[in-house]
Each structure stands twice: as C-alpha cells, then as structure tokens.
Amino acid sequence: MKPLLLLAALLGCLATVLAAPVEKVKWCVKSDAELRKCLDLVQAADSFACVKKESTIDCIIAIKAGEADAITLDGGDVYTAGLNNYDLKPIIAEDYGPSSDTCYYAVAVVKKDTGFGIRDLRGKKSCHTGLGKSAGWNIPIGTLVSMQLIQWDGIEDKPVEEAVSGFFQASCAPGASQWPKLCELCKADCSRSHKEPYYDYDGAFRCLAEDAGEVAFVKHLTVPEAEKSKYELLCKDNTRAPIDSYKTCHLGRVPAHAVVTRKDPQLEELIWKSLSAVQGFDLFSSAAYTPSKNLMFKDSTVRLVKVPTDTDSFLYLGAEYMSIIRSLKKEPTAATSSSAIKWCAVGHAETVKCDEWSINSVADDSTSIECQSAPSVEDCLKKIMRKEADAMAVDGGQVYTAGKCGLVPAMVEQYDQTQCSPTGAVPSSYFAVAVVKKGSGVTWATLKGKRSCHTGMGRTAGWNIPMGHVYKITQDCDFTKFFSSGCAPGADRDSPFCSQCIGSERAVGDESKCKASADERYYGYAGAFRCLVEGAGDVAFIKHSIVGENSDGNGTGWAQSVRSDEYELICPGSPTPVPVTEFGRCHLAQVPAHAVVTRPETRSAVVTILQAQQAKFGPSSDSTFKLFQSTTGKNLLFKDSTKCLREIEGGKTYQQFLGEEYMSAMSALRQCSQTTPELEKSCTFHTCQQS
C-alpha cells in the first residue's frame, strides 16, 4: 500500500502545482529604457515580469491574448483598450496630488513674447504628444473644431487628420505617418513610441523648446519648474496666462492615466497587491534612465488609487470626454433616421409592458417608442449614458445617482389629478412611511433587532430615508447590526438583507431572488408591503399610499384578503403607532416624486414625445393600452398612481429637483460608502467629475 500512497501524494502535489495561478504580473513596456526600469523593478519585487512590445496597440493586443497583464495608458488609449475587440478595463488610476488628484489639465504651451493667441494658431507649427492621445490630440483638436477654428464638416467629409494638416503649417504628431505634414517636425520615425524623441509629454515640450514647433499640447505638469518663467498658456478666450494658472486657463480637464488589464477579478487583485507591496523602488521616477521620462508611470504621479470595481473605460473617461473622442474618430457613426425615443425597461415584466407600449405607439408606419431592457436600474442608466437607450422613470435616490452621472430630470410623475392642468401645478411629492402590523408591539423605539422590508437598495422611501434615520441613531454604517434580517432587493446575495426575499414564482434555480427588478416579488413599494403582509418582515418602508392601493379589495391576488385597518404607521418621536391614514403627521420624510431622466441633449425630444404619448394613453384616453396601469405586476415603467407627467423646468438641476432636505439626507447617508451604488462611485471617482 505504501507505494500507492506515495504515488497518490505525488499526484496530489503535482495537481496543486498545476492548479496554482502564476503569481507574476507581466508588465508591458514599449522601449529599451522602459524595459531597463521594468527589469530593475523585477529585482526589487519578484512578483513582476517584463514583456517588451513595439507600441501601445501591440501591448493592448498582448494583454488581450494573455501574453502580458498590464500597462498604464492615457485616456485616448484607455478608450481603445475598452473597445469590444480588446475588452480591457481600467483598474488603477494615477493620482497627481493636490494640483489635480486623478485628473489633469490639457493645456496649450507657447514661448513667452511670441505674441499670438489661440485664435491665431492657423499656419503655426504644432507639437503633439501623439495621435489619439488626450492632452496632445483629442482635447486640443476637439477644442479647435468646436471653436470653429479648424473647419471640419465631420468624418463623412474627410478624416480629421486631413483637416488638421490643412490648419497647421507643419506638425509633429507621433503615430500620424499616413499624413506627412503631421510628421514633418518629428525628429525620428514619427512612431508613437519612445523611438521618436518628440513623443509623449516630454517629447512634445522638447519639440517646442528646440523651436521645431510654436505651440505644444501637453498636460499641466509638463513644463519643468526651472523653465516656467519662459513659457505661457494659451487660454480659450484668446488671452495668455502664466504656466501655473492652468486651473483657469486650460483646454479641458481629463481623467488621469490608468493601469488597464483583462476583466479578471483575481488578476486585478494581484496587480493591485503587487504594486502596493513594492518597496525600495520608486515607481514614479525615471531619473535613473535619463533622458527618458514617464517610464511605466508618469513621473508626476504621487500615488496610485484603486478604481471602483464595476468601472469600465466609458465610466472611467466620463461622457464628456467620450463624446470628444467619438467626434474625432474616423469611423462614421450610423446616423439614425428614427425619431423614436428608446425606453429602458428593467426585468421581464417591464419589458413586456414596454413592447406593448411600442406596438401601440406605431402611427404612419413609424413608432414613437422603442424598447431596451436591462437587469437593473443601474444598467439602464449606463445604457442611457452610452446612448443605447434614452430615458426611464426612476425614484429620487436613482435621480440622485443619475444626476451624479450627468443625466437630467425631464418630467415628473404627478399623483394628483387636479394638478395636471396646464397652469398653477404644485410639484408632486409623497411621504416615506414605516408600516407595521397592528398589535405587533413594534414602535420606532423598538425597531432594533427586527426584520425589515425595503423597496430596494438606494431607493428613496425604501432605503435612503429610513436608513438615514437609523444612521442618525447609531452613527454606524453597518445596518446589519440594527436589523436582524430583511429583504432589500439589490443587496449582495449573501447579505442578511437578502435572506427574506423570495424571488420569482420559479421553484428551482431562481436567479431573481433579491434582484432589483419586478421579477423579485418583494421588490418595489407593493413588494415591500407584501413582504410585511406575508410575515417575512416586521416593518415595511414604503410610500404613504401603498397600503390603500393593496388592501380592502384593491391590488392583485396576494392583496385581495388584506385589510388596511390591520396595519399602522410608526415614526420617530411617536411612542405609539397611528392609523395608516395619518401619514401627514407620522412619516419619515416628504420626498419628491419619481422622475424621467435622460441625457441633457435629448431632454426636449423626450418631453415632446412623452407629452404626445400620455395624451394617447393617459387615464382619460379610450385606448385599451394604459401608460400608467400595470396588468402583469405593479408600478411597471411608471407608478400606477400616476395621473400625468409634468415637464420639469428646463435647466433645473437634479439638486434643485430633489431639494435641500433630500440632498442633505443623501449627503449624510453617503458617509456610509457601502450605501453608494457602484455606478455612482464610478461616476464620481475623479475630482473633475464631482459636483
């Protein structure tokens, strides 16, 4: 038996060795100088290995193929790396310290006393960090096009590189070898690599310093301290400013360079841990490799910052920067002739209703509504940001997140028919309340340790308002210490806040359990009340009208035997429960109604189409399809209690819409970082995105 045992042990060891992942991060470098620095890093930290390629795109391809694992890229290259054919993602950002944190300024640098402004750049000689790079190409060329200084009618007319060739007398834009004038000033091969001395920030500045060019498009930290007095910035108002005035004189503010890799959580964690553990080696210095600069990382980097988990290249770069990149790309964007708006539905039940809406909206062989679907509100908001969808109706907490991501509220649900007249309408709002079973003995003072039913994570009445109150009591962000368990759709599947959820009707393999969609039966207002009714919780955090809408003969199957007088309200400051009809004096907050959100540029079209649609399918229409009624669920696409949609005044911000009280409650709740949706974290990661 012993030889067999020995063989089994050896096989077991071999299996362990084969299964163990390679614990080395293969860093991709693009020059001999970068390779030297990388090899020196390997001597200091054996968790790294080096892979040399000829160019950025070769590195991106190598990482996609698994030949390499990571590289630090500029924003324009982060965009390229995130395209479907490569599918890489940013995981770590460079932080440049108090001057800009994880953003930097794109500036136009000129020699002092050369006497021209930004409007006089035609016919000048220009120095660029590289074709398609942020500060050196995308931002300045996008700016000159938007200021109508470079005449360009778009990609259908000619490539933007051709328009730039006709604007400047000559240039060095490494990577633009197809266009000879854009390489005329370069010192070597005009490649987008360190083989070209005028490549990258330091190279573009050198191009200016050596009088090859008259303007250099670089980042705000490029000009050396000792040289600053000899140079100035060109401002968009055609004036000049000192080099250190970049905060008020710049062409754009863009996200920092980022480390990108494949979408592999284990690899992401390995890269972060390996970089964090480096000791005795300065990642952010290229002094030992002069004259080269910015090797592997920018020399101006102060530290590295982990990017929020679910951030892809689009969210990292932000909608504004993405639109600049898209506008300068050679590929024609398919112009849609459709005047329809694309509505985003969450889950199966909403998608069914949306499809019915789309079919009914057909007139003269064209439709006003097209449907997109996504598994969650956050995914829908991402689709709207990416122009894959146009609009959806969301609750106040989601208006807050949408606003942080650059979307705007366009129309608001109105629940009072008398306020649907054209003039004198009062903004719609509702009360967030806490409902308990009559005789349960549960009061606001005895809530600790009870089971809770929530409309969904991040929802106004169901989460933000009640948890804000709880935080004021406990000053503790771990709400599982306050409630013993509950159902808060959208929470982590292994959280106590998912233990009371029941999912869909399916008996096995129920992926809907605790999902933030109508497929989870305890999701939304009616769902949270049902959770209380069916004994899964001791308190339900909902809207004031929900008990009446789901009792005394109202509501769907599960609600048919429910009596409203069997339920009561509890609230802070009240030692005893009160009837559900007394929400005016016993509530947690009065909050704004649900609103339709969209991108700023589509706001007018969304309002126009929705006004026409509610005229056709609103409560007073004779159509069999009703926009504000749900036949296969509750509150699908819109609240069933909606009487009409009212336009929100143009230019009104999401902060103004939500109001000071709600914004204050949200700011307090955001002290608990785990209550912040991943999408919101991604949208506000950079200081230049925060508002």
Side-chain angles (χ1 to χ4, degrees):
M1 290 294 291
K2 283 184 178 178
L4 285 173
L5 286 170
L6 180 62
L7 179 61
L10 287 169
L11 287 171
C13 289
L14 180 62
T16 303
V17 169
L18 290 173
V22 179
E23 290 295 304
K24 281 188 185 292
V25 175
K26 301 187 293 291
W27 204 272
C28 199
V29 298
K30 302 175 294 179
S31 67
D32 291 336
E34 259 195 341
L35 180 59
R36 288 203 308 277
K37 180 175 179 178
C38 184
L39 291 172
D40 288 345
L41 170 62
V42 171
Q43 292 297 311
D46 62 3
S47 56
F48 290 92
C50 308
V51 176
K52 183 171 181 284
K53 295 293 178 183
E54 288 300 306
S55 65
T56 299
I57 196 68
D58 289 339
C59 277
I60 290 171
I61 292 167
I63 295 170
K64 166 71 173 173
E67 295 171 34
D69 297 321
I71 186 175
T72 309
L73 298 179
D74 140 282
D77 295 325
V78 169
Y79 169 83
T80 301
L83 295 173
N84 287 339
N85 42 336
Y86 307 119
D87 203 28
L88 306 185
K89 64 174 289 194
I91 59 165
I92 298 165
E94 294 181 343
D95 185 322
Y96 308 118
S99 72
S100 56
D101 301 309
T102 59
C103 304
Y104 61 89
Y105 297 90
V107 295
V109 178
V110 292
K111 286 191 171 178
K112 230 175 191 175
D113 304 323
T114 44
F116 58 85
I118 196 168
R119 293 192 169 277
D120 309 307
L121 283 179
R122 177 177 290 279
K124 299 290 187 289
K125 293 179 288 184
S126 60
C127 306
H128 307 261
T129 59
L131 188 70
K133 291 178 80 71
S134 298
W137 185 267
N138 294 338
I139 296 294
I141 302 308
T143 300
L144 294 172
V145 168
S146 69
M147 292 175 71
Q148 298 185 322
L149 297 174
I150 294 180
Q151 299 300 317
W152 184 53
D153 293 329
I155 35 196
E156 292 81 5
D157 174 37
K158 58 189 172 188
V160 71
E161 292 88 348
E162 192 178 318
V164 176
S165 295
F167 181 76
F168 292 113
Q169 180 186 328
S171 306
C172 177
S177 51
Q178 248 186 293
W179 291 271
K181 279 189 72 178
L182 295 182
C183 285
E184 198 173 308
L185 303 181
C186 291
K187 204 160 188 172
D189 62 357
C190 192
S191 66
R192 243 185 64 149
S193 74
H194 291 285
K195 289 189 291 187
E196 168 53 62
Y198 288 169
Y199 169 67
D200 210 0
Y201 299 115
D202 188 54
F205 177 65
R206 184 179 168 189
C207 165
L208 172 66
E210 294 179 355
D211 289 323
E214 297 164 277
V215 58
F217 299 110
V218 291
K219 69 185 279 189
H220 71 287
L221 297 170
T222 303
V223 182
E225 191 66 40
E227 301 283 303
K228 285 181 179 177
S229 61
K230 302 176 187 174
Y231 295 90
E232 290 179 315
L233 302 177
L234 297 184
C235 310
K236 286 196 278 190
D237 64 359
N238 212 40
T239 62
R240 290 186 173 206
I243 292 296
D244 285 331
S245 298
Y246 52 81
K247 287 190 177 179
T248 54
C249 177
H250 56 261
L251 306 182
R253 199 172 181 198
V254 293
H257 290 212
V259 176
V260 302
T261 189
R262 296 181 294 284
K263 292 176 179 174
D264 176 344
Q266 285 179 301
L267 179 58
E268 292 171 32
E269 192 58 28
L270 174 64
I271 294 168
W272 173 250
K273 283 182 176 175
S274 299
L275 287 170
S276 302
V278 172
Q279 292 183 331
F281 183 86
D282 191 347
L283 288 169
F284 315 131
S285 173
S286 305
Y289 315 96
T290 52
S292 297
K293 291 191 176 183
N294 303 316
L295 302 176
M296 297 180 68
F297 296 94
K298 291 285 150 281
D299 296 341
S300 52
T301 306
V302 173
R303 64 184 182 126
L304 298 175
V305 184
K306 205 171 189 177
V307 172
T309 310
D310 291 341
T311 308
D312 58 14
S313 58
F314 179 95
L315 292 173
Y316 182 80
L317 296 170
E320 186 179 359
Y321 183 66
M322 286 292 290
S323 68
I324 290 171
I325 293 180
R326 284 177 177 149
S327 70
L328 296 177
K329 286 291 156 190
K330 281 179 284 182
E331 300 82 10
T333 49
T336 173
S337 58
S338 171
S339 60
I341 57 170
K342 295 187 287 290
W343 200 265
C344 198
V346 178
H348 175 71
E350 283 206 340
T351 304
V352 170
K353 180 178 176 180
C354 188
D355 288 339
E356 190 184 351
W357 182 14
S358 178
I359 291 165
N360 277 275
S361 75
V362 173
D364 301 323
D365 293 329
S366 67
T367 182
S368 296
I369 302 296
E370 295 172 0
C371 298
Q372 286 280 325
S373 65
S376 70
V377 172
E378 280 197 30
D379 288 314
C380 266
L381 294 179
K382 287 180 189 176
K383 280 181 176 279
I384 296 170
M385 292 161 66
R386 289 189 174 96
K387 303 185 181 180
E388 294 167 12
D390 295 317
M392 72 182 304
V394 295
D395 112 307
Q398 293 153 342
V399 170
Y400 183 88
T401 297
K404 288 287 186 183
C405 291
L407 304 182
V408 296
M411 299 193 85
V412 61
E413 293 179 349
Q414 175 57 260
Y415 312 121
D416 181 349
Q417 184 64 56
T418 64
Q419 301 300 325
C420 286
S421 58
T423 57
V426 176
S428 199
S429 64
Y430 62 92
F431 294 96
V433 296
V435 182
V436 298
K437 286 184 176 177
K438 196 170 190 175
S440 65
V442 179
T443 68
W444 192 262
T446 63
L447 263 187
K448 189 174 169 67
K450 300 296 188 288
R451 299 166 303 152
S452 53
C453 302
H454 306 264
T455 58
M457 290 289 288
R459 299 284 295 269
T460 299
W463 185 267
N464 296 340
I465 297 300
M467 293 320 210
H469 279 285
V470 170
Y471 180 72
K472 286 176 188 173
I473 298 167
T474 64
Q475 295 294 300
D476 190 339
C477 291
D478 186 357
F479 298 121
T480 62
K481 292 178 185 173
F482 190 83
F483 292 110
S484 61
S485 62
C487 178
D492 291 334
R493 285 292 290 263
D494 56 357
S495 162
F497 285 115
C498 278
S499 62
Q500 299 299 324
C501 295
I502 56 169
S504 68
E505 305 287 350
R506 289 189 294 276
V508 291
D510 192 354
E511 288 297 313
S512 301
K513 183 177 166 71
C514 206
K515 282 283 178 69
S517 82
D519 298 336
E520 161 59 63
R521 286 175 287 167
Y522 288 170
Y523 174 68
Y525 294 118
F529 181 47
R530 182 177 180 179
C531 165
L532 173 68
V533 170
E534 295 181 352
D538 304 304
V539 60
F541 297 111
I542 52 179
K543 171 182 164 185
H544 70 276
S545 62
I546 297 304
V547 174
E549 291 169 14
N550 294 275
S551 62
D552 305 330
N554 298 316
T556 52
W558 67 268
Q560 288 303 298
S561 60
V562 176
R563 286 173 35 209
S564 62
D565 60 6
E566 294 175 342
Y567 296 88
E568 296 178 307
L569 303 180
I570 61 171
C571 54
S574 176
T576 56
V578 305
V580 292
T581 53
E582 297 192 22
F583 53 81
R585 69 179 179 92
C586 183
H587 56 258
L588 306 184
Q590 187 171 0
V591 294
H594 291 211
V596 174
V597 294
T598 186
R599 297 181 303 282
E601 72 272 18
T602 51
R603 182 195 164 280
S604 296
V606 167
V607 169
T608 301
I609 288 176
L610 285 180
Q611 284 173 336
Q613 290 298 296
Q614 70 176 350
K616 286 175 72 174
F617 307 121
S620 58
S621 76
D622 55 6
S623 168
T624 52
F625 172 76
K626 298 291 186 184
L627 196 54
F628 309 132
Q629 284 180 19
S630 306
T631 54
T632 57
K634 291 287 287 183
N635 302 313
L636 302 176
L637 304 181
F638 301 95
K639 289 282 143 294
D640 293 342
S641 53
T642 304
K643 304 303 180 197
C644 66
L645 297 171
R646 293 300 307 251
E647 180 179 357
I648 295 169
E649 188 181 340
K652 197 167 193 176
T653 65
Y654 76 97
Q655 297 101 320
Q656 291 168 326
F657 171 74
L658 293 173
E660 281 185 31
E661 186 182 22
Y662 192 81
M663 287 298 295
S664 173
M666 289 301 295
S667 298
L669 191 60
R670 287 298 185 259
Q671 301 302 311
C672 304
S673 62
Q674 69 268 36
T675 69
T676 308
E678 287 300 319
L679 174 61
E680 193 177 313
K681 288 179 185 175
S682 297
C683 288
T684 57
F685 172 69
H686 299 297
T687 49
C688 58
Q689 291 173 317
Q690 293 169 11
S691 59

